[in-house]
Amino acid sequence: MTNAPSGFEYRIVGEGEVIITHWGRRATTLRGATAKDFLLDVTKQDPQELMARATGNYKRGNERTAKNHPRNRTP
């Protein structure tokens, strides 16, 4: 089972501005070179994962620790 990111959408507004939403709520706005790079990469990579990274809603490094916590162990 994978916990792939989901619920992200993006739209282009104005000149070179990208708004990324998560479940309908604005998560971040990309402008300038960052927006340009995002639009180039979104056609080459998984869009959901790319948007999760752009918003900071991505793996935080504590997944292994959390997996081994007694509360999360399977009986």
Side-chain angles (χ1 to χ4, degrees):
M1 181 170 91
T2 61
N3 291 329
S6 63
F8 290 98
E9 295 179 359
Y10 74 93
R11 61 188 161 108
I12 303 166
V13 294
E15 288 191 28
E17 189 171 287
V18 177
I19 295 176
I20 298 176
T21 59
H22 188 242
W23 301 115
R25 300 182 86 181
R26 185 182 294 217
T28 192
T29 303
L30 306 176
R31 294 181 181 92
T34 307
K36 186 177 178 180
D37 291 343
F38 171 81
L39 291 173
L40 290 173
D41 291 342
V42 79
T43 60
K44 301 175 190 173
Q45 298 177 17
D46 176 26
Q48 291 294 307
E49 188 171 315
L50 190 61
M51 288 183 275
R53 286 181 181 169
T55 61
N57 187 7
Y58 195 66
K59 293 183 178 179
R60 293 170 176 82
N62 64 351
E63 288 79 13
R64 186 174 300 146
T65 305
K67 183 177 86 173
N68 295 328
H69 190 277
R71 171 185 63 226
N72 299 326
R73 289 189 192 146
T74 56

